[in-house]
Amino acid sequence: MSGLTGKVALVTGASRGIGRAAAERLAARGAVVAVHYGSNAAAADEVVRGIRDAGGRAFALGAQLGTPGDIDALWSAFDAGVGEHSSRTCVDILVNNAGVTLRGHLEETTEELFDQQVAVNMRAPFFLVQHGLKRMPDGGRIINISSGVTRIAYPEIISYAMTKGAIDTFTLTLAKQLGARGITVNAVAPGIIDTDINASWLRGNPEAEQMAAGLSALGRVGRVTDVADVIAFLASDDARWVTGQVIDATGGSHL
Ligand code: NAP
């Protein structure tokens, strides 16, 4: 796969889980990576340390998405940090990964829970792109993290699934607009991945793990690196002719 040396990437929600793995992959391919976190500065610092120890370049930036002023806070922190680590002060690759899964059937979903998911999973990526585009050169990459639940019905997370459906539509529509600038816009839709989002029901529960593994044609639960490698491909020049797509990374779940 072609390298990313000289490119600058911003990965939201990179202090843990899929975002962390994506930040590590992009840095390993040569990109300078802005490691965004919401509340866990120590975890983000650890990710940055790990990348630097491996010979890469990265810096951390914090902004709690879904709060007033979140988008300005994030881009201000990016602008303040990027010049110290890169001679180019733009963003070539934006990975909209930060997200929350607040569980609840239709009847259990409060307006507060609904609004919180919309704010983090849907509103934040929209306005991060709107405010970030002036920092993105032609030929840039936008990669949004969707979910297999836009294809597979899970009534117990209905409002979460709706936010990811919106991400798919955002991806398709934005790709049409930004194609003229050579910017590709794609989404990655993971299945069940072993991260903190699923810790409460998956970790330490062999029955749940067996059930989750059985959903995939490949017979196991997904790992963060399974998704990070797809993100790294979409970020690379090898994916220059792919845009407006939702790439299924569910390990063939529910085929
Ligand atoms: P995770 O391990 O729970 O990590 C979530 C990341 O998002 C953390 O870095 C967290 O930062 C950040 N974040 C959460 N809320 C935030 C907020 N309000 N403001 C700023 N940052 C916030 O999650 P994950 O499983 O890796 O999921 C990453 C993405 O993949 C999400 O969009 C998720 O919907 C999607 N996805 C996950 C799965 C799965 O099975 N895991 C499946 C399909 C799709 P702090 O800890 O610093 O606050």
Side-chain angles (χ1 to χ4, degrees), residues 13-19 36-40 63-65 97-101 120 145-147 160 164 190-193 195-198:
S15 53
R16 294 184 284 121
I18 293 168
H36 163 262
Y37 64 92
S39 55
N40 202 335
Q64 191 70 34
L65 300 173
N97 165 78
V100 285
T101 307
V120 179
I145 307 307
S146 176
S147 170
Y160 169 78
K164 295 300 187 180
I192 297 172
I193 309 295
T195 69
D196 293 347
I197 271 187
N198 297 315

